Amino acid sequence: MAAAAVRLSLLFWIILSLLGPTAAAPPILPSIALVRRAKFIINNATGTPEVFSPDSQQIIPQGTATDAGGTGFNAAALIWLAFCFVVGTPLALAGIRGWRFTTGAGIGLSAAVCSWAAFINSASNVSIPDAVLSAIVIAFFFLGFVLGLFEIGRIAGMATLGVTGGLAFGIRIMIVKEGLLISGLAAFPADWVLTAFLGMLGGLLIVSEATRRAGILFGSASDGTFLVFLGVDLIINRQAGMSRGLRFLFDRNASHVRDIIIAGYKPPLSTQILLAVSLALTPALAYAQHRIFKHPFSRKPRPTSDIGPLDSDVENETCESRFSL
């Protein structure tokens, strides 16, 4: 109990120290203009598409929707390029042995995705600078990652790893085709129903002890291959490939309709090939990790038993793999 209290206290002060400078330095945040998410209609009667509010019948001002992706290889793009390889490579190759890194990445990635989606869907027509939004999203990832490094975040880290792994797999299926897997503005919710269903399946794998190892293997490989191949695609296609697909799937901001929805999404052939390869590699790498790293995911030492050691190493390994996750 004393050790747990010390860990909780340490976690509290670490998070407080990370949040403190952000709260004390407000020159950037007040300049970010956020608006409530609004409905929109597209009117093409004049031959030039215009976006209107169905309530006020007024034109909705439109802005660019780079959504922190940057342009070419500028600062924001390089941030994401480095992030994809630094976080994705360990998960893809050895997530089952990552232990605290893996649980930290699970919470961090879920925090990053949620914060990014929230910001891009509530930005006004005056877009948030890409470098600023990138820094904010990375900060959310870092806070979640720090939480996952501690015992208090272990269960949440495994659960979010499963959910993000399922979502990462589903998202790639959705953006492999022009205009998404199920095309059309009216059919857009169906794409998210299928994506959410795969995310839920990934999370359910973590719930049962019988499938938990499989869930961690799949979640690690799926998140890892998603990030690594996103990085490769950024090098090859810049912001016109997977980056564009992600924005097309996530961004339904009324201020970004002209840039996102009207301009559409047409993935290059190289992007489609990379997506297909990454999907095929996900189960392959998950199985490879299972074969190479046979030890349990948890590295916590088991308490000393009062009845002495088990009779055989095989029995010991079986018991450990069953209960130490």
Side-chain angles (χ1 to χ4, degrees), residues 189-254:
D191 290 293
W192 268 111
V193 168
L194 293 175
T195 304
F197 176 72
L198 290 175
M200 181 183 67
L201 287 182
L204 288 176
L205 287 175
I206 305 296
V207 173
S208 172
E209 290 187 2
T211 59
R212 188 169 298 160
R213 179 176 173 87
I216 294 171
L217 287 164
F218 172 78
S220 299
S222 182
D223 283 339
T225 53
F226 177 90
L227 291 171
V228 169
F229 278 83
L230 174 58
V232 173
D233 188 77
L234 285 172
I235 295 173
I236 297 174
N237 296 304
R238 313 299 193 271
Q239 289 74 37
M242 285 181 66
S243 173
R244 177 71 183 180
L246 293 174
R247 284 177 281 143
F248 191 80
L249 181 63
F250 277 86
D251 191 343
R252 282 302 184 265
N253 190 331

Side-chain angles (χ1 to χ4, degrees), residues 306-325:
D306 293 333
I307 61 175
L310 296 174
D311 294 335
S312 69
D313 292 336
V314 175
E315 186 178 359
N316 181 48
E317 182 175 345
T318 303
C319 181
E320 186 177 6
S321 65
R322 184 177 301 169
F323 295 108
S324 61
L325 284 171

Side-chain angles (χ1 to χ4, degrees), residues 38-41 52-58 60:
K39 296 180 180 179
F40 58 85
I41 55 175
F52 288 85
S53 167
D55 299 321
S56 65
Q57 298 300 314
Q58 298 297 312
I60 300 175

Side-chain angles (χ1 to χ4, degrees), residues 87-97 169 172 213-229 232 274-294:
V87 178
T89 304
L91 289 175
L93 300 179
I96 193 66
R97 292 305 293 152
F169 200 84
R172 281 174 284 178
R213 179 176 173 87
I216 294 171
L217 287 164
F218 172 78
S220 299
S222 182
D223 283 339
T225 53
F226 177 90
L227 291 171
V228 169
F229 278 83
V232 173
L274 288 172
L275 285 168
V277 172
S278 73
L279 288 169
L281 279 179
T282 296
L285 288 176
Y287 182 72
Q289 288 190 43
H290 172 66
R291 299 291 296 176
I292 295 171
F293 305 108
K294 299 182 181 295

Side-chain angles (χ1 to χ4, degrees), residues 38-53:
K39 296 180 180 179
F40 58 85
I41 55 175
I42 301 173
N43 190 329
N44 198 22
T46 63
T48 301
E50 295 180 308
V51 184
F52 288 85
S53 167

